[in-house]
Amino acid sequence: MTDLLIITYFALLFFISFYGVYLYWLVVNYLRLPGQTPLVPMEPEDATNLPMVTVQLPIFNEKRVVARLIEAVTHFEWPQEKLEIQVLDDSTDETSEIVARLVTELSGRGVTIEHIRRPHRAGYKAGALAVGQEKARGEFIAIFDADNIPPSDFLRRMIPYFDDPRVGMAQARWSFLNRDDSLLCQAQALFLDSHFYIEQAARSRAGLFLNFNGTAGIWRRRAIDSAGGWQSDTLTEDLDLSYRAQLLGWKMLFVEDVDVPTELPNSVRAFKTQQHRWARGAMETGFKLLGRVRRAKLPLAVKIAAHFHLTQKVVSVALLLLSILLIPALYFRWEASAYKVLLIDLPVFITGMGAMSVFYGIAYRREKKNHSARARLVLPMLSAIGLGLAANNSLAVISALKRRESEFVRTPKTGSARGRKLGIPHEYRVSFDRTLLVEALLLANGSIAFIYAFDLGLYFSLPFLATFVFGYGYFVVNSLRERYG
């Protein structure tokens, strides 16, 4: 039985290492391929040559940030006769009253803006976007979430990329208003910097499938319609539509030089909710579309990258099982020679943990000017925080496997770059759920393994085990602090 557990443990390590190789592949593509040449922004003086643009703002109970968003999009440098704004409001709180007042005021000033309400929340965000599209007059549709503050020249800088008739979507990069609020915000900023600067950029440069990130992007309306429109059978309607459109031959672009300031969740509950939705939605999209990807006439590299992209959250399940098997693995390390342990551990470390270090390190250097000095201390902790999400994301993957319908739970925002200092609003409070219980048990297991390894003199294993202890400990302690502190 012990031998079987040890074999399973090392099989999991090697499985994780394959996804590390995928990260190296993305880094190589990012480094070897030239970056995008920024296009000359359009001048809005001659409205006759400019396309009609619809700006959609899907919101749900965002009273803290909705006014800020609406104010930002009304300042777009685009002729009013070629711009319409739709506030797709499914709110059940006072957000709707705030929106109604703003829409009335702005309409009186000549702004083309519509407040669209539904009697139900069917289809969640995808359903709201579909209803808006039925009424939209724009050739292009720009979409922004409630926490965005798009710059006034956003349309002028993004629309020129659609001069290529093959381009169906252009995605801007996210920047972060509150990246230095806390350790959690700094970690999220680095996670997302690596996604945009390395992952999205590498896919775009190499012609691989990439995804609309749900906000801060523009779609060509014909691309949405031809791909079957917005569908709500996954929790990541943005990823789903992106793949359906690319399977039809539409080209997706990541625009590296345009950024849209946005707000990071500054509570553990909000962060975990967001990660759960992304993990489950990616797996649901994989179940839905990977068969079509395999059958499509696409280059092999595109198919391989798509499989890694849509299934990468399976790594969370492997990490969860790895966390459970820490103590049995210590027996092997104690009984085996140092040479045998090193022969197995070193390649896995280089392809697994090493890949993540390279991935995050390059993203940090790329965005270094916007990081505080304290952010350097966060870099070594990123792998631990990512590992600490294993239980949360594993439950998301398992729920996707069950193929049951799930509610789209939005990520609440504080509306302040220093929102954490204002205290935790009631909607951020964490209930003692099964995820927290699992994390607490994994923390206890990792702590016992760490103490046991120290007692056996397996000092080489201590940094590895400390990663598990810190990762799970971070989420357990902060979840309890937010709940009771």
Side-chain angles (χ1 to χ4, degrees):
M1 184 64 179
T2 302
D3 290 342
L4 178 61
L5 292 176
I6 291 169
I7 291 170
T8 303
Y9 175 84
F10 285 106
L12 290 169
L13 282 177
F14 279 105
F15 174 77
I16 293 167
S17 73
F18 282 114
Y19 284 83
V21 172
Y22 167 63
L23 294 184
Y24 278 123
W25 183 37
L26 290 176
V27 169
V28 169
N29 279 324
Y30 172 74
L31 295 176
R32 75 179 179 89
L33 297 172
Q36 210 170 52
T37 301
L39 298 182
V40 177
M42 299 186 79
E43 294 300 331
E45 285 79 6
D46 185 7
T48 58
N49 295 324
L50 297 179
M52 183 75 183
V53 177
T54 298
V55 176
Q56 293 185 328
L57 312 177
I59 60 171
F60 176 71
N61 293 354
E62 297 288 4
K63 61 185 178 182
R64 292 178 171 83
V65 293
V66 67
R68 183 181 70 183
L69 169 65
I70 293 174
E71 179 73 15
V73 299
T74 58
H75 285 90
F76 278 156
E77 297 164 2
W78 207 255
Q80 284 196 4
E81 64 270 25
K82 293 295 183 77
L83 182 69
E84 68 171 354
I85 302 168
Q86 296 178 334
V87 186
L88 309 174
D89 178 20
D90 285 346
S91 300
T92 56
D93 65 358
E94 57 266 45
T95 301
S96 298
E97 299 171 13
I98 297 170
V99 172
R101 286 197 304 270
L102 285 169
V103 169
T104 300
E105 177 188 337
L106 291 167
S107 297
R109 287 164 32 193
V111 177
T112 305
I113 184 169
E114 185 178 6
H115 186 194
I116 299 176
R117 297 273 292 155
R118 300 190 295 165
H120 48 70
R121 212 183 156 206
Y124 304 108
K125 183 178 178 180
L129 291 169
V131 168
Q133 179 142 328
E134 291 175 2
K135 301 182 178 184
R137 295 183 291 123
E139 177 185 352
F140 298 100
I141 297 178
I143 301 171
F144 300 97
D145 280 349
D147 57 311
N148 292 158
I149 310 179
S152 60
D153 63 353
F154 179 84
L155 296 179
R156 292 201 303 115
R157 296 174 68 189
M158 293 287 287
I159 291 294
Y161 290 93
F162 290 91
D163 286 347
D164 181 346
R166 299 172 300 166
V167 173
M169 187 279 297
Q171 171 68 54
R173 179 170 49 83
W174 297 359
S175 57
F176 307 105
L177 297 164
N178 58 334
R179 68 164 61 235
D180 290 321
D181 265 16
S182 65
L183 171 63
L184 178 64
C185 288
Q186 289 171 338
Q188 289 178 81
L190 283 166
F191 283 138
L192 290 168
D193 284 343
S194 67
H195 168 68
F196 285 106
Y197 277 119
I198 313 299
E199 195 172 2
Q200 288 285 65
R203 289 184 189 136
S204 187
R205 294 179 187 186
L208 306 175
F209 277 15
L210 59 93
N211 60 292
F212 172 51
N213 290 103
T215 182
I218 301 178
W219 278 89
R220 192 188 297 271
R221 180 170 183 158
R222 283 196 298 112
I224 298 176
D225 291 337
S226 66
W230 295 104
Q231 298 175 7
S232 59
D233 53 347
T234 75
L235 286 181
T236 48
E237 72 294 322
D238 43 12
L239 178 63
D240 172 33
L241 178 59
S242 299
Y243 265 70
R244 284 187 279 119
Q246 287 169 111
L247 282 166
L248 291 177
W250 287 103
K251 185 178 179 182
M252 307 280 130
L253 289 180
F254 173 63
V255 182
E256 300 177 35
D257 68 311
V258 177
D259 72 284
V260 173
T262 189
E263 182 182 322
L264 294 162
N266 49 31
S267 84
V268 165
R269 176 192 177 188
F271 176 53
K272 288 171 64 177
T273 297
Q274 183 185 69
Q275 292 296 313
H276 186 280
R277 186 176 73 244
W278 290 353
R280 173 165 180 164
M283 292 301 300
E284 289 172 336
T285 304
F287 289 134
K288 178 179 179 178
L289 297 176
L290 277 178
R292 287 176 58 183
V293 170
R294 285 192 291 270
R295 293 189 298 271
K297 294 182 179 179
L298 295 168
L300 181 60
V302 173
K303 293 184 178 183
I304 292 172
H307 278 73
F308 276 110
H309 184 197
L310 295 181
T311 64
Q312 58 188 334
K313 296 303 180 183
V314 174
V315 172
S316 295
V317 179
L319 288 171
L320 177 65
L321 295 173
L322 204 67
S323 304
I324 296 170
L325 297 175
L326 288 177
I327 294 176
L330 289 177
Y331 283 105
F332 170 81
R333 286 178 166 81
W334 183 51
E335 294 177 349
S337 67
Y339 173 75
K340 288 182 180 178
V341 173
L342 194 63
L343 195 63
I344 294 175
D345 282 2
L346 193 58
V348 172
F349 178 83
I350 291 173
T351 54
M353 303 289 286
M356 288 187 286
S357 299
V358 171
F359 206 61
Y360 300 140
I362 293 176
Y364 172 79
R365 290 188 62 82
R366 184 70 175 77
E367 189 67 6
K368 189 176 181 180
K369 64 182 184 299
N370 291 324
H371 283 292
S372 67
R374 187 175 59 172
R376 283 195 295 269
L377 302 176
V378 179
L379 268 173
M381 304 176 188
L382 284 180
S383 297
I385 293 175
L387 193 153
L389 285 168
N392 181 73
N393 291 350
S394 292
L395 290 173
V397 171
I398 293 168
S399 62
L401 289 170
K402 293 179 179 178
R403 307 291 186 94
R404 294 176 182 171
E405 186 177 351
S406 176
E407 181 184 2
F408 184 106
V409 182
R410 69 92 167 89
T411 307
K413 307 297 191 302
T414 64
S416 168
R418 296 291 176 181
R420 182 179 59 88
K421 295 184 178 180
L422 303 178
I424 304 298
H426 68 88
E427 62 263 40
Y428 281 73
R429 301 280 177 170
V430 181
S431 58
F432 195 86
D433 59 14
R434 58 179 180 173
T435 306
L436 185 56
L437 178 60
V438 171
E439 288 166 349
L441 291 172
L442 292 171
L443 171 61
N445 185 65
S447 300
I448 293 169
F450 184 90
I451 295 169
Y452 189 45
F454 184 84
D455 186 55
L456 292 174
L458 300 173
Y459 303 120
F460 184 79
S461 300
L462 294 182
F464 177 69
L465 296 171
T467 304
F468 288 83
V469 175
F470 179 85
Y472 291 120
Y474 178 83
F475 285 101
V476 170
V477 169
N478 283 283
S479 294
L480 293 174
R481 180 182 62 81
E482 288 177 9
R483 175 65 180 170
Y484 302 109

